[in-house]
């Protein structure tokens, strides 16, 4: 069974920074992709950032240049460094992995005040 545990959410002021981390454990074999989704109240879940096992990263247009996703394959961890936060980044952020199947964390709240 695969388990993902996120940490690092919280409250930040506009222009500030937060760092999210996620640790994956269990029977995962090879993780093809890791990353982060988010869901704001009343909105659909959207892909924020994803990184392949070859470290190729993709970002949601609205976070490009502000967010950076990374991964440590040896530790099965992924990190989302969020700089220049905006109130519209407020959402629950979910870590995910894909290894032929998708697995999700429980979510961590990020709130950005103006």
């Amino acid at each position: 069974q695969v388990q993902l545990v996120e940490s690092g959410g919280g409250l930040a002021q506009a222009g500030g920074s937060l760092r999210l981390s996620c640790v994956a454990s269990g029977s995962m074999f090879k993780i093809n992709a890791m990353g982060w989704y988010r869901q704001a109240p009343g909105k659909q879940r959207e892909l924020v950032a994803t990184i392949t096992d070859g470290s190729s990263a993709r970002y949601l247009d609205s976070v490009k240049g502000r967010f950076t996703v990374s991964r440590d394959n040896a530790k099965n961890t992924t990190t989302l460094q969020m700089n220049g936060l905006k109130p519209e980044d407020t959402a629950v952020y979910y870590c995910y992995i894909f290894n032929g199947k998708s697995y999700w964390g429980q979510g961590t709240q990020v709130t950005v005040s103006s």
Side-chain angles (χ1 to χ4, degrees):
Q1 186 157 349
V2 176
Q3 184 176 22
L4 304 181
V5 178
E6 300 124 332
S7 60
L11 177 65
Q13 291 188 331
S17 298
L18 285 173
R19 185 181 179 89
L20 306 182
S21 295
C22 174
V23 180
S25 61
S27 301
M28 295 168 290
F29 191 55
K30 178 185 175 184
I31 300 175
N32 300 109
M34 308 180 78
W36 299 84
Y37 279 73
R38 69 186 182 188
Q39 187 166 20
K43 295 187 177 182
Q44 289 189 330
R45 190 174 293 192
E46 60 183 359
L47 177 64
V48 177
T50 184
I51 184 166
T52 68
D53 56 355
S55 297
S56 176
R58 288 192 295 119
Y59 297 92
L60 182 68
D61 283 346
S62 62
V63 309
K64 285 180 181 177
R66 299 188 296 122
F67 290 10
T68 302
V69 64
S70 61
R71 65 186 281 175
D72 184 327
N73 293 329
K75 297 180 179 179
N76 290 328
T77 60
T78 180
T79 299
L80 185 67
Q81 177 66 43
M82 304 185 293
N83 299 327
L85 284 163
K86 303 177 180 180
E88 51 264 43
D89 294 320
T90 294
V92 178
Y93 283 70
Y94 298 89
C95 170
Y96 88 98
I97 67 167
F98 179 76
N99 65 350
K101 293 178 64 176
S102 294
Y103 299 90
W104 301 87
Q106 79 286 357
T108 184
Q109 178 69 46
V110 170
T111 302
V112 184
S113 62
S114 57

